[in-house]
Amino acid sequence: MSCSNLTMWVSSKPSLSDPSALSSRSFIAPFHLPNSSTPSKSPSSTQIQCGLRELRERIESVKNTQKITEAMKLVAAAKVRRAQEAVVNARPFSETLVGVLYNINEQLQTEDIDIPLTKVRPVKKVALVVVTGDRGLCGGFNNYIIKKAEARIRELKALGLEYTVISVGKKGNSYFNRRPYIPVDKFLEGSNLPTAKEAQAIADDVFSLFVSEEVDKVELLYTKFVSLVKSDPVIHTLLPLSPKGEICDINGVCVDAAEDEFFRLTTKEGKLTVERDVVRTKTSDFSAILQFEQDPVQILDALLPLYLNSQILRSLQESLASELAARMSAMSSATDNAVELKKNLSRVYNRQRQAKITGEILEIVAGADALI
Amino acid sequence: MTLNLCVLTPNRIVWDSEVKEIILSTNSGQIGVLPNHAPIATAVDIGILRIRLKDQWLTMALMGGFARIGNNEITVLVNDAERGSDIDPQEAQETLEIAEANLRKAEGKRQIIEANLALRRARTRVEAVNAIS
């Protein structure tokens, strides 16, 4: 009643309002109810209805969240470099191994190789090694892998094959824990930086499963690091190994082991990008007088577990790099959202604050006017 | 004429410098390698690698792999390698006891394979630590 009179009075005589910080007309609307302050840009037009104090608290909390998400993004970026260095450190091993594997295979061309790890059996049971991350806040990373695992399990069921799962990483572990109808063989913990010891633990498990003929095929599900914003969950056949050391996809697409693909994080035009290079390792010949201390078959028997280990370690490293990249991009968009939310909230807060001041001034003026 | 030894594991280079002599455990026994050894390739068993640097012997526990010797260059590729000085004696002893207990409890072909591997590894680590002292 008196408010509405006042509003009309203010609108007709704009010069009477305090000129210092107010522009009178726009604050008439919020004077009724502070609910029409939806900024035109935001697609989710949530109505912000709070008092001044709550708004202040919300702005504070959004600011803190923004600091945290930005810090997480920088930490993830630093860790991606470390993960990349780990991949680079692993190259001398795999290069030497591949070179030796090639040479031995040339010597064994005509012989019949009978090594437990390369035995191809009719498949009745398949083991799936699923590599997930340990922590959340990484966008759709863990979800993609788990969805791919479920899809593969459905395929295997449709083919009438039995399956068992080896889950690596806390997220996968908790997912499979909640689903007792999926037979899980072992739960393994991932870690911040995959070392040979962890790869060894997985390799031991897989080795014993395969050699004891409990499973006839082992497939590895991990995320391939394609670029900073894209990663691909892939399925590779881990066992049986081909004696030549080829890495095969489930569809039978085989990549030669000598073609080593590695990724490098570099900057191009000020932005972080990923370059993938395919390098063909030089398979130089051994000196002709190289003697094998043991039977070439025994030597191959010792080489293949090494190869298995390095494959598993490689996939763990790629998964880690993809997880970090996913976390980087998720935290980056979270930071952007926090900035925008803070801007909107500040705008509403300022409008309310100014409306309150206007109200007080109007009361004072009306009171003074009433005395006259 | 010095020997250059390179010990590689899948995720790092454990040793890459010159040595005077090494003794390697292979599937067919131990072999000693001096400079100008004939080129050979051999599988490496889970065992101890002894390295001599100027009258001082160092031990390293190797967890199986492959070695190539030729042209005064020794390349050893192993699943895992630990220097004897880096292993904690007590922890290694405890791991050994746990591994032995697991082997006794193991049932079924698969568990026996796993338990045997773990036992050999634990035993090698304990030997590597004891061999220095």
PDB file of all heavy atoms in Angstrom, chain A residues 90 93 100 185 195 200 204-205 208-209 212 286 291 293-294 299 302 306 309, chain B residues 8-11 28 39-43 66 68 77-80 110 114 121:
ATOM      1  N   ALA A  90      59.296 -46.504 -20.501  1.00  0.00           N
ATOM      2  CA  ALA A  90      59.044 -47.915 -20.781  1.00  0.00           C
ATOM      3  C   ALA A  90      59.517 -48.313 -22.166  1.00  0.00           C
ATOM      4  O   ALA A  90      59.520 -49.487 -22.504  1.00  0.00           O
ATOM      5  CB  ALA A  90      57.553 -48.208 -20.651  1.00  0.00           C
ATOM      6  N   PHE A  93      62.724 -50.825 -22.826  1.00  0.00           N
ATOM      7  CA  PHE A  93      62.401 -52.220 -22.553  1.00  0.00           C
ATOM      8  C   PHE A  93      61.651 -52.839 -23.721  1.00  0.00           C
ATOM      9  O   PHE A  93      62.044 -53.889 -24.247  1.00  0.00           O
ATOM     10  CB  PHE A  93      61.536 -52.285 -21.299  1.00  0.00           C
ATOM     11  CG  PHE A  93      61.220 -53.670 -20.838  1.00  0.00           C
ATOM     12  CD1 PHE A  93      62.074 -54.335 -19.991  1.00  0.00           C
ATOM     13  CD2 PHE A  93      60.065 -54.303 -21.245  1.00  0.00           C
ATOM     14  CE1 PHE A  93      61.782 -55.612 -19.545  1.00  0.00           C
ATOM     15  CE2 PHE A  93      59.766 -55.577 -20.824  1.00  0.00           C
ATOM     16  CZ  PHE A  93      60.618 -56.237 -19.964  1.00  0.00           C
ATOM     17  N   VAL A 100      64.347 -58.627 -29.966  1.00  0.00           N
ATOM     18  CA  VAL A 100      64.756 -60.007 -29.685  1.00  0.00           C
ATOM     19  C   VAL A 100      63.692 -60.998 -30.144  1.00  0.00           C
ATOM     20  O   VAL A 100      63.995 -62.045 -30.715  1.00  0.00           O
ATOM     21  CB  VAL A 100      65.009 -60.162 -28.175  1.00  0.00           C
ATOM     22  CG1 VAL A 100      65.245 -61.603 -27.841  1.00  0.00           C
ATOM     23  CG2 VAL A 100      66.185 -59.328 -27.760  1.00  0.00           C
ATOM     24  N   ASP A 185      36.735 -62.561 -10.468  1.00  0.00           N
ATOM     25  CA  ASP A 185      37.800 -63.417  -9.998  1.00  0.00           C
ATOM     26  C   ASP A 185      38.618 -62.749  -8.925  1.00  0.00           C
ATOM     27  O   ASP A 185      38.908 -63.316  -7.896  1.00  0.00           O
ATOM     28  CB  ASP A 185      38.693 -63.785 -11.188  1.00  0.00           C
ATOM     29  CG  ASP A 185      39.631 -64.877 -10.823  1.00  0.00           C
ATOM     30  OD1 ASP A 185      39.149 -65.996 -10.619  1.00  0.00           O
ATOM     31  OD2 ASP A 185      40.824 -64.602 -10.701  1.00  0.00           O
ATOM     32  N   THR A 195      53.280 -49.352 -11.665  1.00  0.00           N
ATOM     33  CA  THR A 195      54.652 -49.849 -11.688  1.00  0.00           C
ATOM     34  C   THR A 195      54.659 -51.283 -12.189  1.00  0.00           C
ATOM     35  O   THR A 195      53.612 -51.899 -12.354  1.00  0.00           O
ATOM     36  CB  THR A 195      55.260 -49.845 -10.286  1.00  0.00           C
ATOM     37  OG1 THR A 195      54.449 -50.673  -9.468  1.00  0.00           O
ATOM     38  CG2 THR A 195      55.338 -48.462  -9.729  1.00  0.00           C
ATOM     39  N   GLN A 200      52.780 -56.924 -12.716  1.00  0.00           N
ATOM     40  CA  GLN A 200      53.146 -58.299 -12.392  1.00  0.00           C
ATOM     41  C   GLN A 200      52.007 -59.009 -11.680  1.00  0.00           C
ATOM     42  O   GLN A 200      51.713 -60.172 -11.966  1.00  0.00           O
ATOM     43  CB  GLN A 200      54.375 -58.268 -11.485  1.00  0.00           C
ATOM     44  CG  GLN A 200      54.872 -59.626 -11.078  1.00  0.00           C
ATOM     45  CD  GLN A 200      55.764 -60.195 -12.129  1.00  0.00           C
ATOM     46  OE1 GLN A 200      56.804 -59.645 -12.435  1.00  0.00           O
ATOM     47  NE2 GLN A 200      55.352 -61.276 -12.707  1.00  0.00           N
ATOM     48  N   ASP A 204      50.404 -62.256 -13.139  1.00  0.00           N
ATOM     49  CA  ASP A 204      50.411 -63.532 -12.421  1.00  0.00           C
ATOM     50  C   ASP A 204      49.040 -64.171 -12.439  1.00  0.00           C
ATOM     51  O   ASP A 204      48.881 -65.354 -12.727  1.00  0.00           O
ATOM     52  CB  ASP A 204      50.794 -63.309 -10.946  1.00  0.00           C
ATOM     53  CG  ASP A 204      52.271 -63.193 -10.776  1.00  0.00           C
ATOM     54  OD1 ASP A 204      52.993 -63.514 -11.744  1.00  0.00           O
ATOM     55  OD2 ASP A 204      52.707 -62.784  -9.697  1.00  0.00           O
ATOM     56  N   ASP A 205      48.040 -63.338 -12.111  1.00  0.00           N
ATOM     57  CA  ASP A 205      46.679 -63.838 -12.048  1.00  0.00           C
ATOM     58  C   ASP A 205      46.244 -64.405 -13.393  1.00  0.00           C
ATOM     59  O   ASP A 205      45.723 -65.514 -13.500  1.00  0.00           O
ATOM     60  CB  ASP A 205      45.775 -62.671 -11.650  1.00  0.00           C
ATOM     61  CG  ASP A 205      44.528 -63.156 -10.980  1.00  0.00           C
ATOM     62  OD1 ASP A 205      44.602 -64.185 -10.296  1.00  0.00           O
ATOM     63  OD2 ASP A 205      43.496 -62.515 -11.164  1.00  0.00           O
ATOM     64  N   SER A 208      48.188 -67.613 -14.390  1.00  0.00           N
ATOM     65  CA  SER A 208      47.756 -68.847 -13.729  1.00  0.00           C
ATOM     66  C   SER A 208      46.389 -69.285 -14.209  1.00  0.00           C
ATOM     67  O   SER A 208      46.136 -70.470 -14.375  1.00  0.00           O
ATOM     68  CB  SER A 208      47.778 -68.680 -12.215  1.00  0.00           C
ATOM     69  OG  SER A 208      46.929 -67.637 -11.840  1.00  0.00           O
ATOM     70  N   LEU A 209      45.503 -68.327 -14.483  1.00  0.00           N
ATOM     71  CA  LEU A 209      44.183 -68.679 -15.009  1.00  0.00           C
ATOM     72  C   LEU A 209      44.306 -69.379 -16.355  1.00  0.00           C
ATOM     73  O   LEU A 209      43.624 -70.361 -16.629  1.00  0.00           O
ATOM     74  CB  LEU A 209      43.330 -67.428 -15.200  1.00  0.00           C
ATOM     75  CG  LEU A 209      42.479 -66.942 -14.038  1.00  0.00           C
ATOM     76  CD1 LEU A 209      41.803 -65.656 -14.437  1.00  0.00           C
ATOM     77  CD2 LEU A 209      41.447 -67.983 -13.668  1.00  0.00           C
ATOM     78  N   SER A 212      46.462 -72.893 -16.184  1.00  0.00           N
ATOM     79  CA  SER A 212      45.757 -73.990 -15.523  1.00  0.00           C
ATOM     80  C   SER A 212      44.494 -74.357 -16.273  1.00  0.00           C
ATOM     81  O   SER A 212      43.694 -75.135 -15.810  1.00  0.00           O
ATOM     82  CB  SER A 212      45.394 -73.592 -14.098  1.00  0.00           C
ATOM     83  OG  SER A 212      44.482 -72.516 -14.128  1.00  0.00           O
ATOM     84  N   PHE A 286      70.870 -60.218 -35.190  1.00  0.00           N
ATOM     85  CA  PHE A 286      71.886 -60.608 -34.226  1.00  0.00           C
ATOM     86  C   PHE A 286      73.156 -60.930 -34.981  1.00  0.00           C
ATOM     87  O   PHE A 286      73.144 -61.209 -36.157  1.00  0.00           O
ATOM     88  CB  PHE A 286      71.462 -61.885 -33.504  1.00  0.00           C
ATOM     89  CG  PHE A 286      70.553 -61.635 -32.350  1.00  0.00           C
ATOM     90  CD1 PHE A 286      69.905 -62.674 -31.748  1.00  0.00           C
ATOM     91  CD2 PHE A 286      70.330 -60.354 -31.875  1.00  0.00           C
ATOM     92  CE1 PHE A 286      69.065 -62.462 -30.682  1.00  0.00           C
ATOM     93  CE2 PHE A 286      69.496 -60.132 -30.812  1.00  0.00           C
ATOM     94  CZ  PHE A 286      68.859 -61.198 -30.220  1.00  0.00           C
ATOM     95  N   GLN A 291      74.977 -67.500 -29.865  1.00  0.00           N
ATOM     96  CA  GLN A 291      74.564 -68.827 -29.442  1.00  0.00           C
ATOM     97  C   GLN A 291      73.453 -68.707 -28.430  1.00  0.00           C
ATOM     98  O   GLN A 291      73.474 -67.825 -27.579  1.00  0.00           O
ATOM     99  CB  GLN A 291      75.731 -69.515 -28.752  1.00  0.00           C
ATOM    100  CG  GLN A 291      76.543 -70.367 -29.635  1.00  0.00           C
ATOM    101  CD  GLN A 291      77.456 -71.206 -28.774  1.00  0.00           C
ATOM    102  OE1 GLN A 291      77.744 -70.859 -27.631  1.00  0.00           O
ATOM    103  NE2 GLN A 291      77.909 -72.297 -29.316  1.00  0.00           N
ATOM    104  N   GLU A 293      71.923 -70.094 -25.190  1.00  0.00           N
ATOM    105  CA  GLU A 293      72.373 -70.891 -24.071  1.00  0.00           C
ATOM    106  C   GLU A 293      71.423 -72.063 -23.830  1.00  0.00           C
ATOM    107  O   GLU A 293      71.795 -73.144 -23.458  1.00  0.00           O
ATOM    108  CB  GLU A 293      72.430 -70.001 -22.827  1.00  0.00           C
ATOM    109  CG  GLU A 293      73.002 -70.650 -21.599  1.00  0.00           C
ATOM    110  CD  GLU A 293      74.517 -70.768 -21.661  1.00  0.00           C
ATOM    111  OE1 GLU A 293      75.101 -70.149 -22.573  1.00  0.00           O
ATOM    112  OE2 GLU A 293      75.088 -71.458 -20.836  1.00  0.00           O
ATOM    113  N   GLN A 294      70.155 -71.745 -24.021  1.00  0.00           N
ATOM    114  CA  GLN A 294      69.172 -72.823 -23.924  1.00  0.00           C
ATOM    115  C   GLN A 294      68.505 -73.001 -25.273  1.00  0.00           C
ATOM    116  O   GLN A 294      68.777 -72.280 -26.213  1.00  0.00           O
ATOM    117  CB  GLN A 294      68.090 -72.478 -22.890  1.00  0.00           C
ATOM    118  CG  GLN A 294      68.575 -72.437 -21.470  1.00  0.00           C
ATOM    119  CD  GLN A 294      68.769 -71.018 -21.024  1.00  0.00           C
ATOM    120  OE1 GLN A 294      68.248 -70.102 -21.633  1.00  0.00           O
ATOM    121  NE2 GLN A 294      69.545 -70.835 -19.979  1.00  0.00           N
ATOM    122  N   ILE A 299      63.817 -70.103 -24.547  1.00  0.00           N
ATOM    123  CA  ILE A 299      64.053 -68.664 -24.482  1.00  0.00           C
ATOM    124  C   ILE A 299      62.770 -67.922 -24.810  1.00  0.00           C
ATOM    125  O   ILE A 299      62.412 -66.930 -24.166  1.00  0.00           O
ATOM    126  CB  ILE A 299      65.194 -68.272 -25.424  1.00  0.00           C
ATOM    127  CG1 ILE A 299      66.453 -68.958 -24.958  1.00  0.00           C
ATOM    128  CG2 ILE A 299      65.334 -66.783 -25.498  1.00  0.00           C
ATOM    129  CD1 ILE A 299      67.704 -68.361 -25.484  1.00  0.00           C
ATOM    130  N   ALA A 302      60.632 -67.745 -21.933  1.00  0.00           N
ATOM    131  CA  ALA A 302      60.982 -66.725 -20.953  1.00  0.00           C
ATOM    132  C   ALA A 302      60.636 -65.334 -21.447  1.00  0.00           C
ATOM    133  O   ALA A 302      60.372 -64.434 -20.659  1.00  0.00           O
ATOM    134  CB  ALA A 302      62.473 -66.789 -20.636  1.00  0.00           C
ATOM    135  N   LEU A 306      57.512 -61.664 -20.279  1.00  0.00           N
ATOM    136  CA  LEU A 306      57.973 -60.288 -20.276  1.00  0.00           C
ATOM    137  C   LEU A 306      57.082 -59.434 -21.167  1.00  0.00           C
ATOM    138  O   LEU A 306      56.719 -58.301 -20.838  1.00  0.00           O
ATOM    139  CB  LEU A 306      59.411 -60.199 -20.814  1.00  0.00           C
ATOM    140  CG  LEU A 306      60.528 -60.695 -19.920  1.00  0.00           C
ATOM    141  CD1 LEU A 306      61.846 -60.539 -20.645  1.00  0.00           C
ATOM    142  CD2 LEU A 306      60.559 -59.915 -18.645  1.00  0.00           C
ATOM    143  N   ASN A 309      53.776 -58.805 -19.503  1.00  0.00           N
ATOM    144  CA  ASN A 309      53.904 -57.749 -18.496  1.00  0.00           C
ATOM    145  C   ASN A 309      53.940 -56.375 -19.108  1.00  0.00           C
ATOM    146  O   ASN A 309      53.292 -55.441 -18.626  1.00  0.00           O
ATOM    147  CB  ASN A 309      55.222 -57.945 -17.725  1.00  0.00           C
ATOM    148  CG  ASN A 309      54.955 -58.620 -16.430  1.00  0.00           C
ATOM    149  OD1 ASN A 309      53.926 -59.220 -16.265  1.00  0.00           O
ATOM    150  ND2 ASN A 309      55.906 -58.509 -15.528  1.00  0.00           N
TER     151      ASN A 309
ATOM    152  N   LEU B   8      66.898 -53.693 -17.576  1.00  0.00           N
ATOM    153  CA  LEU B   8      65.667 -52.976 -17.881  1.00  0.00           C
ATOM    154  C   LEU B   8      64.451 -53.702 -17.322  1.00  0.00           C
ATOM    155  O   LEU B   8      64.339 -54.916 -17.457  1.00  0.00           O
ATOM    156  CB  LEU B   8      65.473 -52.871 -19.400  1.00  0.00           C
ATOM    157  CG  LEU B   8      66.552 -52.161 -20.199  1.00  0.00           C
ATOM    158  CD1 LEU B   8      66.254 -52.301 -21.666  1.00  0.00           C
ATOM    159  CD2 LEU B   8      66.613 -50.712 -19.843  1.00  0.00           C
ATOM    160  N   THR B   9      63.543 -52.949 -16.707  1.00  0.00           N
ATOM    161  CA  THR B   9      62.237 -53.504 -16.336  1.00  0.00           C
ATOM    162  C   THR B   9      61.196 -52.745 -17.157  1.00  0.00           C
ATOM    163  O   THR B   9      61.520 -51.701 -17.718  1.00  0.00           O
ATOM    164  CB  THR B   9      61.939 -53.307 -14.840  1.00  0.00           C
ATOM    165  OG1 THR B   9      61.952 -51.918 -14.560  1.00  0.00           O
ATOM    166  CG2 THR B   9      62.958 -54.008 -13.990  1.00  0.00           C
ATOM    167  N   PRO B  10      59.956 -53.267 -17.209  1.00  0.00           N
ATOM    168  CA  PRO B  10      58.981 -52.607 -18.081  1.00  0.00           C
ATOM    169  C   PRO B  10      58.783 -51.133 -17.801  1.00  0.00           C
ATOM    170  O   PRO B  10      58.394 -50.391 -18.689  1.00  0.00           O
ATOM    171  CB  PRO B  10      57.688 -53.382 -17.826  1.00  0.00           C
ATOM    172  CG  PRO B  10      58.130 -54.719 -17.439  1.00  0.00           C
ATOM    173  CD  PRO B  10      59.409 -54.549 -16.693  1.00  0.00           C
ATOM    174  N   ASN B  11      59.018 -50.671 -16.587  1.00  0.00           N
ATOM    175  CA  ASN B  11      58.731 -49.257 -16.376  1.00  0.00           C
ATOM    176  C   ASN B  11      59.955 -48.405 -16.058  1.00  0.00           C
ATOM    177  O   ASN B  11      59.834 -47.199 -15.953  1.00  0.00           O
ATOM    178  CB  ASN B  11      57.687 -49.077 -15.270  1.00  0.00           C
ATOM    179  CG  ASN B  11      58.219 -49.519 -13.930  1.00  0.00           C
ATOM    180  OD1 ASN B  11      59.091 -50.363 -13.858  1.00  0.00           O
ATOM    181  ND2 ASN B  11      57.698 -48.947 -12.861  1.00  0.00           N
ATOM    182  N   SER B  28      69.615 -72.803 -16.826  1.00  0.00           N
ATOM    183  CA  SER B  28      70.512 -73.948 -16.873  1.00  0.00           C
ATOM    184  C   SER B  28      71.745 -73.717 -16.009  1.00  0.00           C
ATOM    185  O   SER B  28      72.822 -74.180 -16.329  1.00  0.00           O
ATOM    186  CB  SER B  28      70.901 -74.227 -18.328  1.00  0.00           C
ATOM    187  OG  SER B  28      71.303 -73.013 -18.943  1.00  0.00           O
ATOM    188  N   PRO B  39      79.244 -63.931 -27.794  1.00  0.00           N
ATOM    189  CA  PRO B  39      77.845 -63.497 -27.774  1.00  0.00           C
ATOM    190  C   PRO B  39      76.891 -64.662 -27.495  1.00  0.00           C
ATOM    191  O   PRO B  39      76.935 -65.672 -28.183  1.00  0.00           O
ATOM    192  CB  PRO B  39      77.607 -62.942 -29.187  1.00  0.00           C
ATOM    193  CG  PRO B  39      78.794 -63.225 -29.975  1.00  0.00           C
ATOM    194  CD  PRO B  39      79.862 -63.775 -29.108  1.00  0.00           C
ATOM    195  N   ILE B  40      76.068 -64.523 -26.503  1.00  0.00           N
ATOM    196  CA  ILE B  40      75.041 -65.526 -26.245  1.00  0.00           C
ATOM    197  C   ILE B  40      73.741 -64.845 -25.847  1.00  0.00           C
ATOM    198  O   ILE B  40      73.723 -63.687 -25.443  1.00  0.00           O
ATOM    199  CB  ILE B  40      75.430 -66.516 -25.120  1.00  0.00           C
ATOM    200  CG1 ILE B  40      75.491 -65.813 -23.771  1.00  0.00           C
ATOM    201  CG2 ILE B  40      76.724 -67.206 -25.411  1.00  0.00           C
ATOM    202  CD1 ILE B  40      75.565 -66.794 -22.632  1.00  0.00           C
ATOM    203  N   ALA B  41      72.666 -65.619 -25.985  1.00  0.00           N
ATOM    204  CA  ALA B  41      71.359 -65.137 -25.532  1.00  0.00           C
ATOM    205  C   ALA B  41      70.827 -66.209 -24.589  1.00  0.00           C
ATOM    206  O   ALA B  41      70.892 -67.391 -24.898  1.00  0.00           O
ATOM    207  CB  ALA B  41      70.413 -64.962 -26.708  1.00  0.00           C
ATOM    208  N   THR B  42      70.312 -65.786 -23.469  1.00  0.00           N
ATOM    209  CA  THR B  42      69.861 -66.776 -22.503  1.00  0.00           C
ATOM    210  C   THR B  42      68.637 -66.298 -21.742  1.00  0.00           C
ATOM    211  O   THR B  42      68.403 -65.104 -21.575  1.00  0.00           O
ATOM    212  CB  THR B  42      70.985 -67.114 -21.508  1.00  0.00           C
ATOM    213  OG1 THR B  42      70.425 -67.817 -20.404  1.00  0.00           O
ATOM    214  CG2 THR B  42      71.623 -65.863 -20.964  1.00  0.00           C
ATOM    215  N   ALA B  43      67.848 -67.259 -21.259  1.00  0.00           N
ATOM    216  CA  ALA B  43      66.716 -66.910 -20.412  1.00  0.00           C
ATOM    217  C   ALA B  43      67.233 -66.778 -18.985  1.00  0.00           C
ATOM    218  O   ALA B  43      68.124 -67.511 -18.561  1.00  0.00           O
ATOM    219  CB  ALA B  43      65.656 -68.000 -20.485  1.00  0.00           C
ATOM    220  N   PHE B  66      65.176 -62.275 -19.552  1.00  0.00           N
ATOM    221  CA  PHE B  66      65.998 -62.649 -20.687  1.00  0.00           C
ATOM    222  C   PHE B  66      67.266 -61.823 -20.645  1.00  0.00           C
ATOM    223  O   PHE B  66      67.266 -60.704 -20.157  1.00  0.00           O
ATOM    224  CB  PHE B  66      65.193 -62.330 -21.952  1.00  0.00           C
ATOM    225  CG  PHE B  66      65.958 -62.486 -23.218  1.00  0.00           C
ATOM    226  CD1 PHE B  66      66.081 -63.717 -23.803  1.00  0.00           C
ATOM    227  CD2 PHE B  66      66.552 -61.397 -23.823  1.00  0.00           C
ATOM    228  CE1 PHE B  66      66.781 -63.877 -24.973  1.00  0.00           C
ATOM    229  CE2 PHE B  66      67.260 -61.538 -24.996  1.00  0.00           C
ATOM    230  CZ  PHE B  66      67.374 -62.788 -25.571  1.00  0.00           C
ATOM    231  N   ARG B  68      70.902 -60.781 -23.008  1.00  0.00           N
ATOM    232  CA  ARG B  68      71.644 -60.886 -24.264  1.00  0.00           C
ATOM    233  C   ARG B  68      73.028 -60.324 -24.015  1.00  0.00           C
ATOM    234  O   ARG B  68      73.182 -59.215 -23.494  1.00  0.00           O
ATOM    235  CB  ARG B  68      70.936 -60.074 -25.346  1.00  0.00           C
ATOM    236  CG  ARG B  68      71.616 -60.192 -26.674  1.00  0.00           C
ATOM    237  CD  ARG B  68      70.797 -59.577 -27.744  1.00  0.00           C
ATOM    238  NE  ARG B  68      70.920 -58.126 -27.707  1.00  0.00           N
ATOM    239  CZ  ARG B  68      70.163 -57.321 -28.436  1.00  0.00           C
ATOM    240  NH1 ARG B  68      69.238 -57.822 -29.215  1.00  0.00           N
ATOM    241  NH2 ARG B  68      70.328 -56.033 -28.373  1.00  0.00           N
ATOM    242  N   LEU B  77      66.677 -58.073 -19.618  1.00  0.00           N
ATOM    243  CA  LEU B  77      65.290 -57.623 -19.551  1.00  0.00           C
ATOM    244  C   LEU B  77      64.574 -58.487 -18.521  1.00  0.00           C
ATOM    245  O   LEU B  77      64.519 -59.696 -18.678  1.00  0.00           O
ATOM    246  CB  LEU B  77      64.596 -57.825 -20.911  1.00  0.00           C
ATOM    247  CG  LEU B  77      65.186 -57.092 -22.089  1.00  0.00           C
ATOM    248  CD1 LEU B  77      64.541 -57.589 -23.364  1.00  0.00           C
ATOM    249  CD2 LEU B  77      64.942 -55.615 -21.970  1.00  0.00           C
ATOM    250  N   VAL B  78      64.054 -57.879 -17.477  1.00  0.00           N
ATOM    251  CA  VAL B  78      63.384 -58.676 -16.439  1.00  0.00           C
ATOM    252  C   VAL B  78      62.053 -58.051 -16.082  1.00  0.00           C
ATOM    253  O   VAL B  78      61.815 -56.869 -16.304  1.00  0.00           O
ATOM    254  CB  VAL B  78      64.223 -58.779 -15.149  1.00  0.00           C
ATOM    255  CG1 VAL B  78      65.279 -59.836 -15.302  1.00  0.00           C
ATOM    256  CG2 VAL B  78      64.831 -57.454 -14.786  1.00  0.00           C
ATOM    257  N   ASN B  79      61.196 -58.895 -15.486  1.00  0.00           N
ATOM    258  CA  ASN B  79      59.899 -58.406 -15.050  1.00  0.00           C
ATOM    259  C   ASN B  79      60.037 -57.388 -13.935  1.00  0.00           C
ATOM    260  O   ASN B  79      59.302 -56.425 -13.870  1.00  0.00           O
ATOM    261  CB  ASN B  79      59.055 -59.577 -14.524  1.00  0.00           C
ATOM    262  CG  ASN B  79      58.464 -60.378 -15.650  1.00  0.00           C
ATOM    263  OD1 ASN B  79      58.134 -59.834 -16.682  1.00  0.00           O
ATOM    264  ND2 ASN B  79      58.353 -61.672 -15.460  1.00  0.00           N
ATOM    265  N   ASP B  80      60.948 -57.643 -13.025  1.00  0.00           N
ATOM    266  CA  ASP B  80      61.168 -56.718 -11.934  1.00  0.00           C
ATOM    267  C   ASP B  80      62.562 -56.939 -11.396  1.00  0.00           C
ATOM    268  O   ASP B  80      63.064 -58.068 -11.403  1.00  0.00           O
ATOM    269  CB  ASP B  80      60.131 -56.941 -10.830  1.00  0.00           C
ATOM    270  CG  ASP B  80      60.014 -55.718  -9.932  1.00  0.00           C
ATOM    271  OD1 ASP B  80      60.659 -54.694 -10.237  1.00  0.00           O
ATOM    272  OD2 ASP B  80      59.294 -55.790  -8.936  1.00  0.00           O
ATOM    273  N   ARG B 110      45.689 -73.993 -10.219  1.00  0.00           N
ATOM    274  CA  ARG B 110      45.962 -72.586 -10.447  1.00  0.00           C
ATOM    275  C   ARG B 110      46.585 -71.923  -9.230  1.00  0.00           C
ATOM    276  O   ARG B 110      47.553 -71.180  -9.335  1.00  0.00           O
ATOM    277  CB  ARG B 110      44.646 -71.922 -10.790  1.00  0.00           C
ATOM    278  CG  ARG B 110      44.842 -70.504 -11.035  1.00  0.00           C
ATOM    279  CD  ARG B 110      43.550 -69.827 -11.024  1.00  0.00           C
ATOM    280  NE  ARG B 110      43.796 -68.439 -10.754  1.00  0.00           N
ATOM    281  CZ  ARG B 110      42.867 -67.589 -10.464  1.00  0.00           C
ATOM    282  NH1 ARG B 110      41.642 -67.999 -10.416  1.00  0.00           N
ATOM    283  NH2 ARG B 110      43.164 -66.349 -10.254  1.00  0.00           N
ATOM    284  N   GLU B 114      50.370 -70.095  -8.791  1.00  0.00           N
ATOM    285  CA  GLU B 114      50.563 -68.743  -8.260  1.00  0.00           C
ATOM    286  C   GLU B 114      51.429 -68.758  -7.015  1.00  0.00           C
ATOM    287  O   GLU B 114      52.342 -67.948  -6.854  1.00  0.00           O
ATOM    288  CB  GLU B 114      49.203 -68.158  -7.876  1.00  0.00           C
ATOM    289  CG  GLU B 114      48.559 -67.346  -8.950  1.00  0.00           C
ATOM    290  CD  GLU B 114      47.303 -66.670  -8.421  1.00  0.00           C
ATOM    291  OE1 GLU B 114      47.349 -66.188  -7.280  1.00  0.00           O
ATOM    292  OE2 GLU B 114      46.314 -66.662  -9.154  1.00  0.00           O
ATOM    293  N   ARG B 121      59.873 -65.905  -5.719  1.00  0.00           N
ATOM    294  CA  ARG B 121      60.247 -64.492  -5.704  1.00  0.00           C
ATOM    295  C   ARG B 121      60.638 -64.049  -4.307  1.00  0.00           C
ATOM    296  O   ARG B 121      61.635 -63.346  -4.115  1.00  0.00           O
ATOM    297  CB  ARG B 121      59.085 -63.635  -6.185  1.00  0.00           C
ATOM    298  CG  ARG B 121      58.905 -63.727  -7.631  1.00  0.00           C
ATOM    299  CD  ARG B 121      58.141 -62.558  -8.163  1.00  0.00           C
ATOM    300  NE  ARG B 121      57.646 -62.975  -9.461  1.00  0.00           N
ATOM    301  CZ  ARG B 121      56.389 -63.259  -9.696  1.00  0.00           C
ATOM    302  NH1 ARG B 121      55.494 -63.113  -8.773  1.00  0.00           N
ATOM    303  NH2 ARG B 121      56.031 -63.680 -10.879  1.00  0.00           N
TER     304      ARG B 121
END
